[in-house]
Amino acid sequence: MQKELQIRVLPEVAGEPQLLEETLIQKEGLAAEDLRHIEILRSSIDARAKQAYYNLKVRLYINEGYEPEKISLPNYPNVSNAEEVIVIGAGPAGLFAALELMENGLKPVIIERGKNAKDRIQDLKGINVKHIVNEDSNYCFGEGGAGTYSDGKLYTRSKKRGDVQKVLELLVGFGAVKQILVDSHPHIGTNKLPKIIANMRKCILQNGGEIHFNTRVTDLITDSSSIKGVVAQDGTKFHAKNVILATGHSARDIFELLYRKGIEIELKPLAIGVRVEHPQSLIDTIQYSCESRGDYLPPAAYSIVKQVGDRGVYSFCMCPGGVIAPCATAPGEIVTNGWSSSRRARSTANSGIVVELKPEDFKPFEKYGPLAAMEFQRSIEQKAWVEGGKTQTAPAQRLRDFIKGDVSADLPNTSYAPGITSVELGSVLPDFIHKNLKEGFLKFDQSMRGYLTNDAVVHAPETRTSSPVKIPRDHETLQHVQISGLYPCGEGAGYAGGIVSAAMDGMKCAKRIRVSTK
Ligand SMILES: Cc1cc2nc3c(=O)[nH]c(=O)nc-3n(C[C@H](O)[C@H](O)[C@H](O)COP(=O)(O)OP(=O)(O)OC[C@H]3O[C@@H](n4cnc5c(N)ncnc54)[C@H](O)[C@@H]3O)c2cc1C
């Protein structure tokens, strides 16, 4: 017989199978030999009170053997001779779209400006060590998109459980640990993602799909109302009647191309701020109300939102035990974001802290029309580059100094490999963002006592929180409102915010193509 139940246990009980078994035997009044297996279905930490607990949903196998569920990939048909669909961009949206197309008997032809996941590493070294930004291969561009060398947190606010489950199961099928199906806040880690992405590529190629790396799309072939194909940088033309445009939030040349061609796009407000790094031990102490977190709790995360006047100030993409990464996609700009390894073993915790922006904030850039938010974003990144010393060195300030407006006399080491330089960040950030951040940090400290410390370092800027542009599509068909056969998809088009939601949007667009062509 199987029995499911919910229990709340101390971290050491959750972390020691023997203790968990004893606890369950006692709680359920079972004979030890009758309990054959405990399957953990869901695991989450509740650290709201002084003592942290694990909430576990478990399935007990009582006098019944346990057969682990096999997570296998769909049986993809060979699509070498099937109708071709062009997918621009091999990020989560593009890759999951490609897989879904194959599942539905269509042939994905992926066109990706960057290199394969392995070859990207040289270019990441180039940014971190030599301060050289390759415009086609960096933390945002290349196989797997911004998802490959990302943190790999797989949280989403989406309520579509079936679709979320499909994304997670595919990731497991391609090599992610099964634990992501259990954790309430699943995480893969930068060290594991490239292999998973490479496995996806192998599967796409083995089943007849095509992938063209080092191929930047520079033009779309259209007539007045429909797409016909795309043109690559070297002039090569690819033809198809359906094109999924999944180029991510940093493909500024694509936004500019659409605007130039008169293909409708809309300004999309986003959030901008800084990335702050604390000692992980401090965040553990605050979040777990303890001196040190011990062996049974993971490095603590935080997620915080405060209202400052009429704007939200909130944490974004928090990386416990993580590293701040240089995520610029062009020379002459500084962009920060964060990642962590699967073990989250670093001694530092970083998070974007960003201010919600509104359409009126982009007024000074209105001559750029729907690209105004993108130009606003770019102007901050360029200012940071100038103030940082015209390399990938990021302008930075200790947190208390940031609040007081003092230039920091010295800066501690941070995880940001290209280095940091002491700058009063009021010279980088627009006034209203600077002010709102200061007030936000003060409010954070009221909820997380000890957060406001000069041991924390503020790095500027955090600008790529979501797309500055929305590419409008028909609600039903998901095709561009003006150009049929063109499917704006994923984060860059304004329909996703993270790995899982981008992957889900990719699958959603691919599904519609099946409906429209058969
Ligand atoms: C350092 C870092 C950490 C992150 N951590 C997390 C996290 O923990 N959890 C999470 O959910 N999200 C995280 N994100 C965000 C996440 O990676 C993105 O939300 C997600 O990758 C968006 O998917 P996408 O497919 O829509 O676009 P992208 O991943 O941006 O992919 C777009 C692809 O299109 C390609 N492309 C662009 N222009 C062209 C062109 N002209 N021709 C051909 N190809 C082109 C790019 O090279 C890229 O590969 C992180 C991002 C970064 C940078």
Side-chain angles (χ1 to χ4, degrees):
M1 147 183 148
Q2 296 178 16
K3 181 172 182 187
E4 283 185 18
L5 67 145
Q6 194 84 37
I7 49 162
R8 183 174 156 83
V9 293
L10 289 168
E12 51 270 36
V13 176
E16 292 288 351
Q18 183 67 33
L19 281 182
L20 181 61
E21 191 177 326
E22 283 166 20
T23 305
L24 283 163
I25 285 171
Q26 201 183 23
K27 183 171 172 6
E28 292 297 297
L30 297 168
E33 63 275 17
D34 290 348
L35 181 59
R36 306 278 171 82
H37 184 76
I38 302 164
E39 186 183 6
I40 299 181
L41 301 173
R42 202 93 192 127
S43 166
S44 62
I45 297 172
D46 182 354
R48 285 170 299 178
K50 277 209 166 346
Q51 171 64 59
Y53 284 94
Y54 269 84
N55 287 324
L56 301 179
K57 184 177 178 192
V58 294
R59 183 181 289 143
L60 307 183
Y61 291 76
I62 304 163
N63 287 320
E64 183 180 320
Y66 166 67
E67 202 49 60
E69 193 192 342
K70 265 196 104 184
I71 305 288
S72 48
L73 292 171
N75 205 357
Y76 294 109
N78 190 296
V79 291
S80 351
N81 297 319
E83 181 186 328
E84 294 185 351
V85 175
I86 294 172
V87 179
I88 317 176
L95 287 175
F96 279 79
L99 293 169
E100 187 72 32
L101 288 170
M102 291 198 317
E103 213 179 321
N104 296 328
L106 292 162
K107 174 178 174 178
V109 177
I110 301 179
I111 304 178
E112 166 56 54
R113 71 193 292 165
K115 302 176 183 172
N116 69 49
K118 194 161 160 239
D119 293 346
R120 277 174 83 178
I121 293 174
Q122 280 313 319
D123 299 304
L124 303 188
K125 277 193 190 144
I127 308 178
N128 279 298
V129 180
K130 297 188 189 147
H131 300 244
I132 296 169
V133 182
N134 178 333
E135 289 182 68
D136 291 311
S137 176
N138 46 58
Y139 276 94
C140 295
F141 295 160
E143 186 183 22
T148 308
Y149 294 97
S150 77
D151 198 33
K153 288 181 289 292
L154 303 174
Y155 328 154
T156 171
R157 274 172 293 179
S158 170
K159 297 278 175 283
K160 295 188 174 153
R161 284 304 332 155
D163 294 349
V164 174
Q165 189 69 10
K166 179 164 184 185
V167 171
L168 297 181
E169 286 185 4
L170 281 171
L171 286 167
V172 171
F174 287 112
V177 287
K178 267 188 161 181
Q179 188 64 25
I180 64 170
L181 303 174
V182 169
D183 287 341
S184 63
H185 288 93
H187 168 246
I188 294 184
T190 310
N191 50 328
K192 306 276 184 193
L193 286 157
K195 190 144 184 252
I196 297 168
I197 300 296
N199 287 341
M200 285 189 187
R201 178 217 316 148
K202 283 177 202 151
C203 171
I204 292 168
L205 293 176
Q206 271 162 11
N207 290 289
E210 277 178 29
I211 306 187
H212 301 262
F213 289 119
N214 303 305
T215 309
R216 189 199 301 176
V217 168
T218 50
D219 203 1
L220 303 179
I221 308 167
T222 57
D223 62 18
S224 59
S225 63
S226 61
I227 191 103
K228 307 284 176 202
V230 306
V231 184
Q233 196 176 18
D234 66 359
T236 310
K237 291 191 171 119
F238 296 82
H239 294 278
K241 64 179 187 200
N242 290 298
V243 173
I244 294 180
L245 180 66
T247 43
H249 63 23
S250 291
R252 289 180 174 158
D253 40 8
I254 288 289
F255 298 142
E256 285 162 348
L257 171 72
L258 296 174
Y259 187 42
R260 222 175 30 246
K261 288 182 86 75
I263 297 177
E264 200 178 322
I265 55 172
E266 296 164 7
L267 178 150
K268 188 174 111 1
L270 68 168
I272 284 182
V274 291
R275 188 154 280 258
V276 63
E277 182 167 271
H278 286 79
Q280 180 63 50
S281 54
L282 175 72
I283 300 299
D284 291 342
T285 302
I286 298 173
Q287 296 298 81
Y288 294 141
S289 317
C290 62
E291 291 259 306
S292 84
R293 73 169 186 271
D295 295 335
Y296 296 103
L297 285 167
Y302 64 88
S303 167
I304 189 160
V305 187
K306 293 288 169 191
Q307 193 67 26
V308 176
D310 60 347
R311 291 175 197 270
V313 178
Y314 56 93
S315 58
F316 168 80
C317 188
M318 197 265 154
C319 301
V323 168
I324 301 184
C327 295
T329 47
E333 62 190 30
I334 302 280
V335 178
T336 62
N337 204 315
W339 60 263
S340 67
S341 70
S342 52
R343 289 179 52 239
R344 292 182 153 157
R346 299 274 187 134
S347 60
T348 43
N350 70 71
S351 179
I353 303 296
V354 294
V355 176
E356 174 194 0
L357 303 185
K358 295 170 185 285
E360 56 270 27
D361 298 329
F362 310 111
K363 268 237 143 60
F365 293 84
E366 67 188 352
K367 69 171 180 196
Y368 296 103
L371 299 178
M374 182 184 97
E375 292 303 333
F376 176 83
Q377 183 191 39
R378 175 155 40 201
S379 71
I380 297 170
E381 294 166 1
Q382 290 179 339
K383 226 175 199 175
W385 184 75
V386 171
E387 293 290 330
K390 300 192 175 178
T391 63
Q392 281 300 303
T393 304
Q397 206 170 2
R398 287 181 186 264
L399 182 51
R400 277 198 176 278
D401 295 339
F402 179 84
I403 305 287
K404 286 194 268 171
D406 293 345
V407 176
S408 297
D410 58 6
L411 292 170
N413 287 334
T414 76
S415 65
Y416 182 79
I420 52 176
T421 186
S422 180
V423 169
E424 205 293 290
L425 294 178
S427 63
V428 173
L429 301 165
D431 263 1
F432 74 96
I433 293 184
H434 191 221
K435 265 198 208 135
N436 279 268
L437 283 172
K438 285 184 182 187
E439 279 191 48
F441 279 129
L442 289 168
K443 289 191 171 188
F444 286 6
D445 195 60
Q446 289 163 9
S447 303
M448 292 177 66
R449 286 282 174 210
Y451 187 92
L452 206 58
T453 163
N454 251 354
D455 289 342
V457 185
V458 181
H459 302 61
E462 174 91 19
T463 42
R464 309 273 176 103
T465 53
S466 68
S467 184
V469 164
K470 181 164 185 163
I471 311 177
R473 66 188 187 190
D474 179 84
H475 190 64
E476 279 302 312
T477 67
L478 306 187
Q479 297 176 49
H480 187 269
V481 288
Q482 202 184 338
I483 306 291
S484 70
L486 178 64
Y487 291 78
C489 177
E491 185 159 31
Y495 301 98
I499 296 168
V500 173
S501 59
M504 281 165 55
D505 199 53
M507 297 191 309
K508 188 168 151 185
C509 288
K511 272 193 194 121
R512 290 308 150 94
I513 293 176
R514 180 176 62 141
V515 170
S516 66
T517 56
K518 284 192 175 171

